[in-house]
Amino acid sequence: MITVMLVDDHPMVREGVRSMLDADADMSVVAEAGSGEEALAVIGDVRPDVVLMDLRMPGMDGATTIERICAFLPDMRIIVVTTYETDSDILRAVESGAVGYLLKGATRAELTNAVRAAARGETVLAPSVAGRLFQHARKPIQAALSSREVEVLACVARGMTNAEIGRALHITEATVKTHLSRAFGKLDVSDRTAAVTTAIARGLLSEVHPRPRSADA
């Protein structure tokens, strides 16, 4: 019997996945969690064979939850099940310790076969995700961030607006946007949050704590 834990902030999604898995005689859903924090609180007691993990949840996201789980249960088999398949999402999930990456449009057969494969110690990837990883591996090494791009991203990590960054670095707001655009391209992301997260994950940017809000903010 393969035991499975579901981690997703949508109860209806968990209910649907549970019904698909419990219909098979060789697997059983033994625990559910609606957040990363809740998953961490119960997984040590349950210790399932396989975890199906949503990637984007309020509070602690899926990738961070995977990192935390693997830190004390390094052999845990975790499959990401999400609607997102950007390069940055896939890479972060894999780097965090996930052994699989499926999309929520997967069929019941694809899902159950993935659970069995993960339980056997195999890696499981949706075809489109495998293609993205292959393409990423074939890309030439991207140029490192320039010192100015790192400065701009550090300001972004502190919660500063483009106008505030321009004043702090004595450059125009248009120049700030140019540096951000170049950084996005090098990191293969499309927004400020993903740029900061990816730069930190790749060791290109030290983790920066947001600036404290003023009393009258």
Side-chain angles (χ1 to χ4, degrees):
M1 178 68 69
I2 302 171
T3 57
V4 182
M5 179 176 180
L6 310 179
V7 184
D8 194 295
D9 61 315
H10 293 96
M12 290 184 64
V13 172
R14 298 199 306 271
E15 182 179 350
V17 174
R18 173 186 280 275
S19 65
M20 286 193 289
L21 298 183
D22 284 347
D24 281 39
D26 63 337
M27 59 185 68
S28 175
V29 175
V30 295
E32 296 184 20
S35 68
E37 292 85 354
E38 186 179 345
L40 290 173
V42 303
I43 194 170
D45 295 327
V46 179
R47 294 182 180 249
D49 298 314
V50 178
V51 177
L52 299 182
M53 177 78 65
D54 190 14
L55 197 59
R56 299 191 185 182
M57 300 178 287
M60 186 182 299
D61 65 15
T64 302
T65 306
I66 293 170
E67 288 176 352
R68 300 282 180 86
I69 291 174
C70 291
F72 73 97
L73 295 173
D75 295 327
M76 186 58 62
R77 311 295 293 175
I78 304 175
I79 302 174
V80 168
V81 183
T82 181
T83 57
Y84 303 97
E85 57 176 328
T86 65
D87 289 359
S88 58
D89 285 327
I90 296 167
L91 289 173
R92 187 162 179 239
V94 172
E95 290 169 354
S96 296
V99 301
Y101 200 108
L102 295 179
L103 300 179
K104 287 187 176 177
T107 65
R108 187 178 79 84
E110 289 170 338
L111 181 63
T112 54
N113 287 338
V115 170
R116 294 188 186 97
R120 292 193 299 265
E122 300 173 10
T123 299
V124 184
L125 297 173
S128 61
V129 172
R132 282 181 173 273
L133 283 176
F134 181 72
Q135 290 175 0
H136 189 274
R138 294 186 63 184
K139 287 180 181 178
I141 298 176
Q142 295 171 316
L145 297 177
S146 69
S147 58
R148 182 61 91 183
E149 288 161 358
V150 170
E151 288 179 325
V152 169
L153 284 182
C155 291
V156 170
R158 295 189 183 97
M160 298 171 67
T161 65
N162 288 352
E164 291 172 331
I165 295 171
R167 289 193 294 270
L169 300 181
H170 306 291
I171 56 179
T172 67
E173 190 171 347
T175 301
V176 172
K177 293 179 180 179
T178 297
H179 287 306
L180 282 175
S181 178
R182 290 174 179 169
F184 288 1
K186 292 178 180 180
L187 297 172
D188 194 24
V189 299
S190 60
D191 61 72
R192 296 159 69 94
T193 300
V196 170
T197 301
T198 303
I200 292 174
R202 296 184 185 179
L204 303 175
L205 177 68
S206 300
E207 189 159 0
V208 179
H209 296 289
R211 57 180 180 175
R213 295 177 65 86
S214 60
D216 59 349

